[in-house]
């Protein structure tokens, strides 16, 4: 700032020193007069404007969201520039502590060619009352100083920019949550389902997801377009939502992709277990309770809902093997209480889309896409269908980088050849390639993988041969049956003919 400001600074400092020195001797009402006139004098002489952002606002002294957003913004921008910093514990997993501008510290910032000064301050209120909380008497505030000719740009552009940035940084730094719904019995024996959550700390990222590069990029683009599409969705009059269907055999990375999406978008995950929801009404309540910027996941949709609307307990069936018992149990349960139906689910999804503002993604996963009702996966409900399939060479290279930290190895070409002839899931490739001891180098691990790929290939060939043999046997059997049928028809015909002749001629040759 110019010499004018320096002069003013010294003048203010002198006033402040005088104010501090005589603090104890001057009565409160005289002090406040001095304060008012000192500020008026400064305001009259100075071409600069100062805005104060207090930590608490309103009659009930609510924590100001404005202050929090500025604080977050300044933590990100000031820690590089401020010379007096303070370290505070952070409650996110990115870093154990946060560095922010210390009290009574000032930093400068240039925004669109405009110079601005941010100051961080703290005052102590002198209260008579006793408090257990020493910090409750502290009043913190930020000041923003700028030349009065920039008043418009600061109020119309800069402050909204700081608030928006602060909010988005806060969102990025918050801890993601994984919600699951569980059943409990409320008053009067009424069964309810409610969300409970844990911190979501899945390490999956798109970079470590093994799949074709082009498909991966397409999905990332789609997610980014969705994230930045608020205005577009408003313009076309559509709720800001997107539905994904992930399908493919077990172990191809459907759940891993959901975790990667959540980390990429910074969205909470609501893992909805339909079998723990009593009826359609409860389902609606659960979905309405979800917040925006979230991913609602219904895994194995074909197992959670029968497409005629009747719930089945396929997973249990598979586990126990005792089909009759499980069906009986499921029937008993169904008799005891109502159930979520396909139409109920569809209504809830459409309801939540139109009824709740805010960005939401809903993801269904299935191993059997062909079993799903077309109504469930029609465009508008499921906007994008993503197939996760067996491991190809590109996906293998990502896994090799993840697990062995190699970009290339002479054995890659052998693996490539075998992958073209074998169907193996990324989960199996990962399992076979993972080093089992410290002495396992990339070569050993790749050889192990090659061995299991060869075995898988042999087994597939054997299975194919067996299947071809069975098909041939079935074909021959069918042909033989047809021949016998034909023979029987012909015999019947000749018997009929002979019978006619006997009738007409009255004798047998
Ligand atoms: N495409 C992939 N990229 C990286 N890792 C993968 C991939 N697919 C599978 N994996 C690995 O295999 C494990 C199992 O994968 P995941 O649970 O995502 O499969 P899924 O498709 O959800 O299977 P399911 O249909 O049985 O639920 C994961 O923990 C991950 O380590
Ligand atoms: Mg899964």
């Amino acid at each position: 700032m110019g010499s004018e400001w320096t002069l003013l600074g010294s003048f203010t400092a002198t006033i402040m020193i005088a104010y501090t020195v005589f603090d104890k001797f001057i009565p409160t009402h005289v002090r406040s007069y001095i304060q008012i006139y000192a500020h008026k004098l400064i305001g009259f002489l100075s071409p600069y404007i100062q805005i104060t952002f207090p930590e608490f606002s309103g009659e009930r002294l609510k924590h100001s969201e404005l202050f929090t957003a500025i604080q977050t913004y300044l933590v990100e921008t000031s820690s590089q520039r401020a010379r007096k910093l303070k370290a505070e514990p952070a409650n996110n997993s990115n870093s154990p502590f946060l560095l922010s501008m210390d009290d009574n510290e000032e930093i400068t910032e240039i925004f669109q060619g405009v110079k601005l000064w941010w100051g961080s301050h703290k005052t102590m209120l002198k209260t008579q009352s006793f408090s257990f909380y020493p910090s409750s008497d502290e009043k913190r505030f930020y000041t923003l100083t700028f030349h009065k000719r920039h008043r418009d740009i600061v109020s119309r552009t800069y402050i909204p920019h700081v608030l928006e940035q602060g909010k988005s940084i806060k969102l990025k730094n918050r801890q993601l949550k994984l919600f699951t719904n569980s059943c409990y019995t409320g008053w009067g024996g009424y069964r309810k389902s409610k969300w409970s959550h844990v911190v979501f700390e899945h390490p999956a990222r798109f970079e470590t997801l093994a799949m074709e590069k082009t498909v991966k990029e397409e999905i990332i683009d789609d997610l980014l377009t969705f994230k930045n599409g608020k205005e577009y969705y408003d313009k076309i009059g559509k709720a800001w939502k997107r539905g994904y269907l992930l399908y493919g055999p077990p172990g191809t990375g459907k759940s891993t992709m959901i975790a990667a999406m959540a980390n990429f978008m910074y969205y909470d995950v609501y893992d909805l277990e339909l079998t723990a929801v009593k009826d359609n009404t409860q389902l609606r309540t659960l979905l309405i309770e979800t917040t925006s910027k979230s991913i609602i996941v219904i895994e194995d949709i074909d197992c959670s809902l029968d497409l005629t609307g009747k719930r089945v307990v396929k997973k249990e069936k598979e586990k126990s093997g005792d089909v009759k018992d499980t069906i009986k149990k499921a029937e008993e349960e169904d008799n005891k209480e109502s159930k979520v139906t396909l139409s109920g689910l569809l209504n809830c999804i459409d309801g939540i889309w139109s009824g709740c503002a805010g960005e939401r993604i809903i993801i269904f996963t299935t191993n059997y896409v062909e079993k799903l009702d077309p109504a469930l996966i029609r465009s508008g409900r499921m906007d994008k269908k993503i197939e996760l399939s067996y491991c190809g060479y590109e996906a293998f290279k990502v896994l090799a980088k993840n697990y062995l930290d190699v970009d290339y190895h002479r054995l890659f070409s052998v693996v490539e050849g075998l992958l073209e002839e074998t169907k193996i899931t990324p989960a199996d490739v990962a399992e076979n390639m993972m080093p089992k001891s410290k002495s396992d180098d990339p070569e050993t691990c790749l050889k192990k993988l090659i061995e299991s790929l060869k075995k898988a290939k042999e087994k597939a060939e054997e299975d194919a041969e067996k299947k071809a043999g069975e098909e041939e046997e079935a074909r021959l059997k069918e042909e033989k049956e047809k021949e016998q049928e034909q023979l029987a028809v012909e015999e019947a015909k000749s018997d009929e003919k002979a019978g006619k002749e006997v009738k007409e001629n009255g004798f047998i040759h």
Side-chain angles (χ1 to χ4, degrees), residues 457-509:
K457 189 184 159 198
E458 275 166 26
K459 188 165 182 301
E461 278 168 0
E462 271 172 29
D463 288 349
E465 250 175 55
K466 203 172 153 197
K467 200 176 165 202
E470 280 169 5
E471 275 172 6
E472 181 63 14
E473 213 173 282
R475 196 183 60 78
L476 288 174
K477 199 175 158 197
E478 201 179 323
E479 259 179 27
K480 208 173 168 187
E481 277 170 6
K482 265 190 192 160
E483 264 174 32
Q484 278 173 351
E485 253 174 49
Q486 189 68 28
L487 218 66
V489 170
E490 276 167 18
E491 266 176 23
K493 270 188 190 163
S494 72
D495 283 354
E496 199 180 327
K497 201 176 162 195
K500 258 188 192 168
E501 277 176 7
V502 170
K503 235 184 185 177
E504 281 166 13
N505 305 330
F507 62 90
I508 301 167
H509 290 289

Short mmCIF file of all heavy atoms in Angstrom, two decimals, residues 457-509:
data_model
loop_
_atom_site.label_atom_id
_atom_site.label_comp_id
_atom_site.label_asym_id
_atom_site.label_seq_id
_atom_site.Cartn_x
_atom_site.Cartn_y
_atom_site.Cartn_z
N LYS A 457 -6.94 -72.82 -18.53
CA LYS A 457 -7.18 -73.08 -19.96
C LYS A 457 -7.48 -74.57 -20.19
O LYS A 457 -8.44 -74.93 -20.88
CB LYS A 457 -5.95 -72.65 -20.75
CG LYS A 457 -6.14 -72.65 -22.24
CD LYS A 457 -4.86 -72.30 -22.94
CE LYS A 457 -4.92 -72.81 -24.37
NZ LYS A 457 -3.62 -72.89 -24.97
N GLU A 458 -6.63 -75.43 -19.56
CA GLU A 458 -6.84 -76.88 -19.70
C GLU A 458 -8.23 -77.27 -19.20
O GLU A 458 -8.95 -78.04 -19.84
CB GLU A 458 -5.79 -77.64 -18.89
CG GLU A 458 -4.50 -77.84 -19.65
CD GLU A 458 -3.37 -78.29 -18.74
OE1 GLU A 458 -3.66 -78.89 -17.68
OE2 GLU A 458 -2.20 -78.00 -19.07
N LYS A 459 -8.59 -76.71 -18.05
CA LYS A 459 -9.89 -77.05 -17.46
C LYS A 459 -11.02 -76.60 -18.40
O LYS A 459 -11.99 -77.34 -18.63
CB LYS A 459 -10.04 -76.39 -16.10
CG LYS A 459 -11.26 -76.85 -15.37
CD LYS A 459 -11.27 -76.51 -13.92
CE LYS A 459 -12.52 -77.06 -13.25
NZ LYS A 459 -13.75 -76.59 -13.80
N ALA A 460 -10.83 -75.39 -18.96
CA ALA A 460 -11.87 -74.88 -19.86
C ALA A 460 -11.99 -75.78 -21.08
O ALA A 460 -13.10 -76.07 -21.56
CB ALA A 460 -11.52 -73.46 -20.28
N GLU A 461 -10.81 -76.26 -21.58
CA GLU A 461 -10.84 -77.15 -22.76
C GLU A 461 -11.53 -78.47 -22.42
O GLU A 461 -12.36 -78.96 -23.18
CB GLU A 461 -9.41 -77.40 -23.24
CG GLU A 461 -8.89 -76.26 -24.11
CD GLU A 461 -7.38 -76.33 -24.36
OE1 GLU A 461 -6.72 -77.27 -23.86
OE2 GLU A 461 -6.89 -75.42 -25.03
N GLU A 462 -11.16 -79.00 -21.23
CA GLU A 462 -11.79 -80.26 -20.78
C GLU A 462 -13.30 -80.08 -20.66
O GLU A 462 -14.09 -80.91 -21.14
CB GLU A 462 -11.25 -80.66 -19.40
CG GLU A 462 -10.03 -81.53 -19.46
CD GLU A 462 -9.44 -81.72 -18.07
OE1 GLU A 462 -10.19 -81.68 -17.08
OE2 GLU A 462 -8.21 -81.88 -17.99
N ASP A 463 -13.68 -78.95 -20.02
CA ASP A 463 -15.11 -78.67 -19.86
C ASP A 463 -15.81 -78.57 -21.20
O ASP A 463 -16.91 -79.08 -21.39
CB ASP A 463 -15.33 -77.38 -19.06
CG ASP A 463 -14.99 -77.56 -17.59
OD1 ASP A 463 -14.78 -78.72 -17.17
OD2 ASP A 463 -14.90 -76.54 -16.87
N ALA A 464 -15.11 -77.87 -22.14
CA ALA A 464 -15.70 -77.69 -23.47
C ALA A 464 -15.86 -79.03 -24.16
O ALA A 464 -16.89 -79.31 -24.78
CB ALA A 464 -14.83 -76.75 -24.30
N GLU A 465 -14.81 -79.89 -24.04
CA GLU A 465 -14.87 -81.23 -24.65
C GLU A 465 -16.02 -82.03 -24.05
O GLU A 465 -16.81 -82.66 -24.76
CB GLU A 465 -13.56 -81.97 -24.37
CG GLU A 465 -12.71 -82.15 -25.62
CD GLU A 465 -11.37 -82.78 -25.27
OE1 GLU A 465 -11.36 -83.86 -24.65
OE2 GLU A 465 -10.34 -82.16 -25.60
N LYS A 466 -16.09 -81.97 -22.72
CA LYS A 466 -17.13 -82.70 -22.01
C LYS A 466 -18.52 -82.22 -22.46
O LYS A 466 -19.42 -83.02 -22.75
CB LYS A 466 -16.98 -82.48 -20.50
CG LYS A 466 -17.60 -83.55 -19.65
CD LYS A 466 -17.22 -83.32 -18.22
CE LYS A 466 -18.27 -83.89 -17.30
NZ LYS A 466 -18.16 -83.38 -15.96
N LYS A 467 -18.62 -80.89 -22.57
CA LYS A 467 -19.90 -80.31 -22.97
C LYS A 467 -20.25 -80.74 -24.40
O LYS A 467 -21.39 -81.13 -24.69
CB LYS A 467 -19.81 -78.78 -22.89
CG LYS A 467 -21.16 -78.13 -22.80
CD LYS A 467 -21.02 -76.64 -22.63
CE LYS A 467 -22.34 -75.98 -22.91
NZ LYS A 467 -22.22 -74.59 -23.25
N ALA A 468 -19.19 -80.70 -25.29
CA ALA A 468 -19.43 -81.09 -26.68
C ALA A 468 -19.85 -82.56 -26.74
O ALA A 468 -20.78 -82.92 -27.49
CB ALA A 468 -18.16 -80.87 -27.49
N GLY A 469 -19.19 -83.42 -25.93
CA GLY A 469 -19.54 -84.84 -25.87
C GLY A 469 -20.99 -85.02 -25.43
O GLY A 469 -21.75 -85.79 -26.04
N GLU A 470 -21.34 -84.26 -24.36
CA GLU A 470 -22.71 -84.37 -23.84
C GLU A 470 -23.74 -83.90 -24.88
O GLU A 470 -24.79 -84.51 -25.05
CB GLU A 470 -22.85 -83.52 -22.57
CG GLU A 470 -22.30 -84.21 -21.34
CD GLU A 470 -22.18 -83.28 -20.14
OE1 GLU A 470 -22.61 -82.11 -20.24
OE2 GLU A 470 -21.63 -83.72 -19.13
N GLU A 471 -23.35 -82.83 -25.60
CA GLU A 471 -24.27 -82.29 -26.62
C GLU A 471 -24.44 -83.29 -27.76
O GLU A 471 -25.53 -83.52 -28.25
CB GLU A 471 -23.73 -80.96 -27.16
CG GLU A 471 -24.13 -79.79 -26.28
CD GLU A 471 -23.46 -78.48 -26.68
OE1 GLU A 471 -22.74 -78.45 -27.72
OE2 GLU A 471 -23.63 -77.53 -25.91
N GLU A 472 -23.30 -83.93 -28.15
CA GLU A 472 -23.33 -84.92 -29.23
C GLU A 472 -24.20 -86.09 -28.81
O GLU A 472 -25.03 -86.58 -29.59
CB GLU A 472 -21.88 -85.36 -29.54
CG GLU A 472 -21.71 -86.38 -30.64
CD GLU A 472 -22.18 -85.86 -32.01
OE1 GLU A 472 -22.38 -84.64 -32.15
OE2 GLU A 472 -22.37 -86.70 -32.92
N GLU A 473 -24.00 -86.52 -27.55
CA GLU A 473 -24.80 -87.64 -27.02
C GLU A 473 -26.29 -87.30 -27.04
O GLU A 473 -27.12 -88.10 -27.49
CB GLU A 473 -24.37 -87.88 -25.56
CG GLU A 473 -24.44 -89.34 -25.15
CD GLU A 473 -23.85 -89.51 -23.76
OE1 GLU A 473 -22.61 -89.53 -23.64
OE2 GLU A 473 -24.64 -89.60 -22.82
N ALA A 474 -26.56 -86.07 -26.61
CA ALA A 474 -27.96 -85.63 -26.58
C ALA A 474 -28.53 -85.58 -28.00
O ALA A 474 -29.68 -85.96 -28.24
CB ALA A 474 -28.06 -84.28 -25.93
N ARG A 475 -27.67 -85.12 -28.94
CA ARG A 475 -28.13 -85.01 -30.35
C ARG A 475 -28.44 -86.40 -30.91
O ARG A 475 -29.47 -86.62 -31.53
CB ARG A 475 -27.05 -84.31 -31.18
CG ARG A 475 -27.53 -83.81 -32.52
CD ARG A 475 -26.38 -83.18 -33.30
NE ARG A 475 -25.29 -84.11 -33.56
CZ ARG A 475 -25.30 -85.06 -34.50
NH1 ARG A 475 -26.35 -85.19 -35.29
NH2 ARG A 475 -24.26 -85.86 -34.67
N LEU A 476 -27.50 -87.36 -30.64
CA LEU A 476 -27.68 -88.72 -31.15
C LEU A 476 -28.95 -89.34 -30.56
O LEU A 476 -29.73 -89.99 -31.26
CB LEU A 476 -26.46 -89.58 -30.80
CG LEU A 476 -25.19 -89.28 -31.60
CD1 LEU A 476 -24.01 -90.09 -31.08
CD2 LEU A 476 -25.40 -89.57 -33.10
N LYS A 477 -29.13 -89.08 -29.24
CA LYS A 477 -30.30 -89.62 -28.55
C LYS A 477 -31.58 -89.08 -29.19
O LYS A 477 -32.54 -89.82 -29.46
CB LYS A 477 -30.24 -89.23 -27.07
CG LYS A 477 -31.11 -90.08 -26.18
CD LYS A 477 -30.88 -89.68 -24.74
CE LYS A 477 -32.07 -90.11 -23.92
NZ LYS A 477 -32.12 -89.45 -22.64
N GLU A 478 -31.54 -87.79 -29.47
CA GLU A 478 -32.72 -87.14 -30.06
C GLU A 478 -33.00 -87.72 -31.44
O GLU A 478 -34.15 -88.03 -31.78
CB GLU A 478 -32.44 -85.64 -30.16
CG GLU A 478 -33.70 -84.81 -30.27
CD GLU A 478 -33.37 -83.32 -30.34
OE1 GLU A 478 -32.42 -82.89 -29.66
OE2 GLU A 478 -34.04 -82.64 -31.11
N GLU A 479 -31.90 -87.90 -32.23
CA GLU A 479 -32.04 -88.45 -33.59
C GLU A 479 -32.66 -89.84 -33.52
O GLU A 479 -33.58 -90.18 -34.28
CB GLU A 479 -30.67 -88.55 -34.25
CG GLU A 479 -30.43 -87.41 -35.22
CD GLU A 479 -29.07 -87.49 -35.85
OE1 GLU A 479 -28.52 -88.60 -35.97
OE2 GLU A 479 -28.54 -86.41 -36.21
N LYS A 480 -32.13 -90.66 -32.57
CA LYS A 480 -32.62 -92.03 -32.42
C LYS A 480 -34.10 -92.03 -32.05
O LYS A 480 -34.91 -92.78 -32.61
CB LYS A 480 -31.81 -92.74 -31.31
CG LYS A 480 -31.71 -94.23 -31.49
CD LYS A 480 -30.77 -94.79 -30.46
CE LYS A 480 -30.88 -96.28 -30.42
NZ LYS A 480 -30.10 -96.82 -29.32
N GLU A 481 -34.44 -91.12 -31.15
CA GLU A 481 -35.85 -91.04 -30.72
C GLU A 481 -36.74 -90.66 -31.90
O GLU A 481 -37.83 -91.20 -32.08
CB GLU A 481 -35.99 -90.00 -29.60
CG GLU A 481 -35.64 -90.57 -28.23
CD GLU A 481 -35.56 -89.49 -27.16
OE1 GLU A 481 -35.88 -88.32 -27.44
OE2 GLU A 481 -35.13 -89.85 -26.05
N LYS A 482 -36.22 -89.73 -32.71
CA LYS A 482 -36.99 -89.28 -33.88
C LYS A 482 -37.19 -90.44 -34.84
O LYS A 482 -38.29 -90.66 -35.37
CB LYS A 482 -36.25 -88.14 -34.57
CG LYS A 482 -36.74 -86.78 -34.12
CD LYS A 482 -36.14 -85.71 -35.01
CE LYS A 482 -36.39 -84.35 -34.37
NZ LYS A 482 -35.47 -83.37 -34.89
N GLU A 483 -36.07 -91.20 -35.08
CA GLU A 483 -36.13 -92.35 -35.98
C GLU A 483 -37.18 -93.34 -35.51
O GLU A 483 -38.01 -93.83 -36.27
CB GLU A 483 -34.77 -93.05 -36.03
CG GLU A 483 -33.92 -92.61 -37.20
CD GLU A 483 -32.51 -93.22 -37.12
OE1 GLU A 483 -32.39 -94.36 -36.61
OE2 GLU A 483 -31.56 -92.54 -37.53
N GLN A 484 -37.13 -93.60 -34.17
CA GLN A 484 -38.08 -94.57 -33.61
C GLN A 484 -39.52 -94.08 -33.75
O GLN A 484 -40.42 -94.84 -34.08
CB GLN A 484 -37.74 -94.80 -32.13
CG GLN A 484 -36.61 -95.81 -31.97
CD GLN A 484 -36.15 -95.94 -30.53
OE1 GLN A 484 -36.55 -95.17 -29.67
NE2 GLN A 484 -35.30 -96.92 -30.29
N GLU A 485 -39.66 -92.78 -33.54
CA GLU A 485 -41.00 -92.20 -33.69
C GLU A 485 -41.50 -92.38 -35.11
O GLU A 485 -42.63 -92.78 -35.35
CB GLU A 485 -40.92 -90.70 -33.38
CG GLU A 485 -41.54 -90.32 -32.06
CD GLU A 485 -41.31 -88.84 -31.76
OE1 GLU A 485 -41.58 -88.02 -32.65
OE2 GLU A 485 -40.82 -88.56 -30.65
N GLN A 486 -40.59 -92.09 -36.07
CA GLN A 486 -40.91 -92.20 -37.50
C GLN A 486 -41.32 -93.63 -37.83
O GLN A 486 -42.32 -93.88 -38.52
CB GLN A 486 -39.66 -91.78 -38.31
CG GLN A 486 -39.86 -91.62 -39.79
CD GLN A 486 -40.76 -90.40 -40.08
OE1 GLN A 486 -40.79 -89.46 -39.29
NE2 GLN A 486 -41.52 -90.49 -41.15
N LEU A 487 -40.51 -94.56 -37.31
CA LEU A 487 -40.77 -95.98 -37.54
C LEU A 487 -42.15 -96.38 -37.02
O LEU A 487 -42.94 -97.06 -37.70
CB LEU A 487 -39.68 -96.80 -36.80
CG LEU A 487 -39.17 -98.03 -37.51
CD1 LEU A 487 -38.43 -97.62 -38.79
CD2 LEU A 487 -38.21 -98.80 -36.58
N ALA A 488 -42.45 -95.89 -35.82
CA ALA A 488 -43.73 -96.20 -35.20
C ALA A 488 -44.88 -95.65 -36.03
O ALA A 488 -45.90 -96.33 -36.23
CB ALA A 488 -43.77 -95.62 -33.78
N VAL A 489 -44.68 -94.42 -36.57
CA VAL A 489 -45.73 -93.80 -37.39
C VAL A 489 -45.96 -94.64 -38.64
O VAL A 489 -47.10 -94.93 -39.02
CB VAL A 489 -45.34 -92.34 -37.76
CG1 VAL A 489 -46.29 -91.77 -38.81
CG2 VAL A 489 -45.32 -91.47 -36.52
N GLU A 490 -44.80 -95.02 -39.27
CA GLU A 490 -44.92 -95.81 -40.52
C GLU A 490 -45.60 -97.14 -40.25
O GLU A 490 -46.47 -97.59 -41.01
CB GLU A 490 -43.54 -96.03 -41.12
CG GLU A 490 -43.13 -94.83 -41.98
CD GLU A 490 -41.67 -94.84 -42.36
OE1 GLU A 490 -41.06 -95.92 -42.27
OE2 GLU A 490 -41.15 -93.76 -42.71
N GLU A 491 -45.20 -97.78 -39.13
CA GLU A 491 -45.83 -99.07 -38.78
C GLU A 491 -47.32 -98.90 -38.58
O GLU A 491 -48.14 -99.70 -39.08
CB GLU A 491 -45.20 -99.60 -37.48
CG GLU A 491 -44.06 -100.55 -37.73
CD GLU A 491 -43.38 -100.99 -36.45
OE1 GLU A 491 -44.03 -100.94 -35.38
OE2 GLU A 491 -42.20 -101.36 -36.52
N ALA A 492 -47.68 -97.84 -37.88
CA ALA A 492 -49.10 -97.59 -37.62
C ALA A 492 -49.85 -97.41 -38.92
O ALA A 492 -50.98 -97.89 -39.10
CB ALA A 492 -49.25 -96.35 -36.73
N LYS A 493 -49.18 -96.68 -39.87
CA LYS A 493 -49.82 -96.43 -41.18
C LYS A 493 -50.06 -97.73 -41.92
O LYS A 493 -51.13 -97.98 -42.47
CB LYS A 493 -48.93 -95.51 -42.00
CG LYS A 493 -49.23 -94.04 -41.80
CD LYS A 493 -48.43 -93.25 -42.81
CE LYS A 493 -48.52 -91.75 -42.46
NZ LYS A 493 -47.46 -91.04 -43.15
N SER A 494 -48.99 -98.58 -41.97
CA SER A 494 -49.14 -99.85 -42.72
C SER A 494 -50.18 -100.75 -42.07
O SER A 494 -50.94 -101.43 -42.74
CB SER A 494 -47.79 -100.54 -42.89
OG SER A 494 -47.37 -101.07 -41.68
N ASP A 495 -50.26 -100.70 -40.70
CA ASP A 495 -51.30 -101.49 -40.01
C ASP A 495 -52.69 -101.02 -40.39
O ASP A 495 -53.60 -101.81 -40.64
CB ASP A 495 -51.13 -101.35 -38.48
CG ASP A 495 -49.97 -102.20 -37.97
OD1 ASP A 495 -49.40 -102.95 -38.78
OD2 ASP A 495 -49.61 -102.06 -36.77
N GLU A 496 -52.80 -99.70 -40.49
CA GLU A 496 -54.10 -99.11 -40.83
C GLU A 496 -54.52 -99.54 -42.23
O GLU A 496 -55.67 -99.90 -42.50
CB GLU A 496 -53.96 -97.58 -40.76
CG GLU A 496 -55.27 -96.86 -40.62
CD GLU A 496 -55.06 -95.35 -40.56
OE1 GLU A 496 -54.01 -94.92 -40.01
OE2 GLU A 496 -55.91 -94.63 -41.06
N LYS A 497 -53.48 -99.51 -43.16
CA LYS A 497 -53.75 -99.87 -44.56
C LYS A 497 -54.22 -101.33 -44.65
O LYS A 497 -55.21 -101.65 -45.30
CB LYS A 497 -52.47 -99.68 -45.37
CG LYS A 497 -52.69 -99.51 -46.84
CD LYS A 497 -51.37 -99.24 -47.52
CE LYS A 497 -51.50 -99.51 -49.00
NZ LYS A 497 -50.17 -99.59 -49.60
N ALA A 498 -53.47 -102.18 -43.91
CA ALA A 498 -53.81 -103.61 -43.94
C ALA A 498 -55.22 -103.82 -43.39
O ALA A 498 -56.03 -104.60 -43.94
CB ALA A 498 -52.79 -104.39 -43.09
N GLY A 499 -55.56 -103.10 -42.36
CA GLY A 499 -56.90 -103.21 -41.75
C GLY A 499 -57.98 -102.85 -42.75
O GLY A 499 -59.03 -103.49 -42.83
N LYS A 500 -57.72 -101.78 -43.55
CA LYS A 500 -58.70 -101.32 -44.56
C LYS A 500 -58.96 -102.41 -45.58
O LYS A 500 -60.10 -102.70 -45.98
CB LYS A 500 -58.15 -100.08 -45.25
CG LYS A 500 -58.77 -98.81 -44.74
CD LYS A 500 -58.29 -97.68 -45.65
CE LYS A 500 -58.65 -96.36 -44.99
NZ LYS A 500 -57.95 -95.29 -45.68
N GLU A 501 -57.82 -103.01 -46.06
CA GLU A 501 -57.94 -104.05 -47.12
C GLU A 501 -58.79 -105.22 -46.62
O GLU A 501 -59.62 -105.77 -47.33
CB GLU A 501 -56.54 -104.54 -47.49
CG GLU A 501 -55.89 -103.59 -48.50
CD GLU A 501 -54.45 -103.98 -48.83
OE1 GLU A 501 -54.01 -105.09 -48.37
OE2 GLU A 501 -53.80 -103.21 -49.51
N VAL A 502 -58.58 -105.62 -45.36
CA VAL A 502 -59.33 -106.73 -44.79
C VAL A 502 -60.81 -106.39 -44.80
O VAL A 502 -61.67 -107.20 -45.16
CB VAL A 502 -58.85 -107.02 -43.34
CG1 VAL A 502 -59.76 -107.99 -42.63
CG2 VAL A 502 -57.44 -107.55 -43.36
N LYS A 503 -61.10 -105.15 -44.46
CA LYS A 503 -62.49 -104.71 -44.40
C LYS A 503 -63.13 -104.75 -45.78
O LYS A 503 -64.25 -105.24 -45.97
CB LYS A 503 -62.54 -103.28 -43.86
CG LYS A 503 -63.42 -103.13 -42.66
CD LYS A 503 -63.46 -101.66 -42.29
CE LYS A 503 -64.23 -101.50 -41.00
NZ LYS A 503 -64.20 -100.09 -40.62
N GLU A 504 -62.35 -104.18 -46.78
CA GLU A 504 -62.91 -104.06 -48.14
C GLU A 504 -63.04 -105.43 -48.82
O GLU A 504 -64.05 -105.74 -49.46
CB GLU A 504 -62.01 -103.16 -48.99
CG GLU A 504 -62.24 -101.68 -48.69
CD GLU A 504 -61.15 -100.82 -49.26
OE1 GLU A 504 -60.36 -101.29 -50.09
OE2 GLU A 504 -61.08 -99.62 -48.83
N ASN A 505 -62.02 -106.27 -48.76
CA ASN A 505 -62.01 -107.55 -49.51
C ASN A 505 -62.52 -108.74 -48.70
O ASN A 505 -62.77 -109.80 -49.25
CB ASN A 505 -60.59 -107.87 -49.99
CG ASN A 505 -60.04 -106.68 -50.83
OD1 ASN A 505 -60.81 -105.97 -51.48
ND2 ASN A 505 -58.74 -106.48 -50.75
N GLY A 506 -62.61 -108.57 -47.43
CA GLY A 506 -63.14 -109.64 -46.58
C GLY A 506 -62.21 -110.80 -46.38
O GLY A 506 -62.63 -111.85 -45.94
N PHE A 507 -60.97 -110.65 -46.76
CA PHE A 507 -60.01 -111.75 -46.48
C PHE A 507 -58.60 -111.20 -46.27
O PHE A 507 -58.32 -110.06 -46.61
CB PHE A 507 -59.98 -112.77 -47.64
CG PHE A 507 -59.53 -112.18 -48.95
CD1 PHE A 507 -58.17 -112.17 -49.29
CD2 PHE A 507 -60.44 -111.63 -49.84
CE1 PHE A 507 -57.79 -111.63 -50.48
CE2 PHE A 507 -60.03 -111.09 -51.03
CZ PHE A 507 -58.69 -111.10 -51.37
N ILE A 508 -57.74 -112.07 -45.73
CA ILE A 508 -56.33 -111.71 -45.52
C ILE A 508 -55.50 -112.48 -46.52
O ILE A 508 -55.74 -113.66 -46.74
CB ILE A 508 -55.89 -112.07 -44.09
CG1 ILE A 508 -56.76 -111.33 -43.08
CG2 ILE A 508 -54.42 -111.75 -43.87
CD1 ILE A 508 -56.62 -111.85 -41.67
N HIS A 509 -54.52 -111.72 -47.20
CA HIS A 509 -53.62 -112.43 -48.13
C HIS A 509 -52.74 -113.39 -47.40
O HIS A 509 -52.26 -113.09 -46.34
CB HIS A 509 -52.74 -111.40 -48.86
CG HIS A 509 -53.55 -110.58 -49.82
ND1 HIS A 509 -54.07 -111.07 -50.98
CD2 HIS A 509 -53.99 -109.28 -49.74
CE1 HIS A 509 -54.74 -110.13 -51.61
NE2 HIS A 509 -54.71 -109.02 -50.85
#
